[in-house]
Amino acid sequence: MRRATALFAALLLALLFSTMTHLTAPKANADDCTGDWAIGIGGLGDNTSSIFAPYVNQPVGYNSADPMSGLNELDRLFWQHRNDCPGDHIRIIGHSEGAGIVHAWVTAHQDVDNANAILLSDPKRDAGPGWAGLSSTPGSGIIGYPLAGVDDWFGGFPVLTVCNHDDQICDTSAGWWGYLFGGAHGRYDFNVWDYGDWDSGVWYR
């Protein structure tokens, strides 16, 4: 357990330091009321959320070494679009750290309607199937809110959680081999339009 905690802390610190030189945010897009609008937020090192840029209307630009900056920017972009286009359905998709940020945002906004979320490799995923995500491990508390802790407190907000069984980030029973060498962490469908507006539950593959 101590070795796992030390590995987690070392990996986290390495990733945090590696992000500090890549902090250019994507330009905020002008809001178009299209009826169905999407926001995407990437994980550690993806400060421009480029992994979602081809598929969403608005990638979230943030300092991924500072998760609160991602939560605040996601919140700003969501409400800006909701105010400009109150009739639009809003999809929110996140990967890894970004999924954890979306998870925390939804937990705090369970009563928001006409929106849904897709969480890819969510470190805050609660157990079942498999074990809980990386935010459940000893030592994860050092990262604090919004990434610390696991839960499934989504209320009536439609949330689809997608976790590969060999991805340590969302299932700590997997071990690190799949994450480090097996491509488990990148083996997701990042196209937000391939998911339904009201999909919910857990897809565990």
Side-chain angles (χ1 to χ4, degrees), residues 155-173:
F157 198 110
V159 175
L160 175 65
T161 300
V162 185
C163 178
N164 292 329
H165 73 279
D166 52 346
D167 186 352
Q168 173 77 359
I169 303 303
C170 58
D171 178 1
T172 52
S173 70

Side-chain angles (χ1 to χ4, degrees), residues 11 40 48 62 76 97 107 140 151 154 170-171 174 201:
L11 180 64
T48 62
Y62 75 113
R76 185 188 73 80
E97 177 186 353
T107 297
S140 63
D151 63 73
F154 303 131
C170 58
D171 178 1

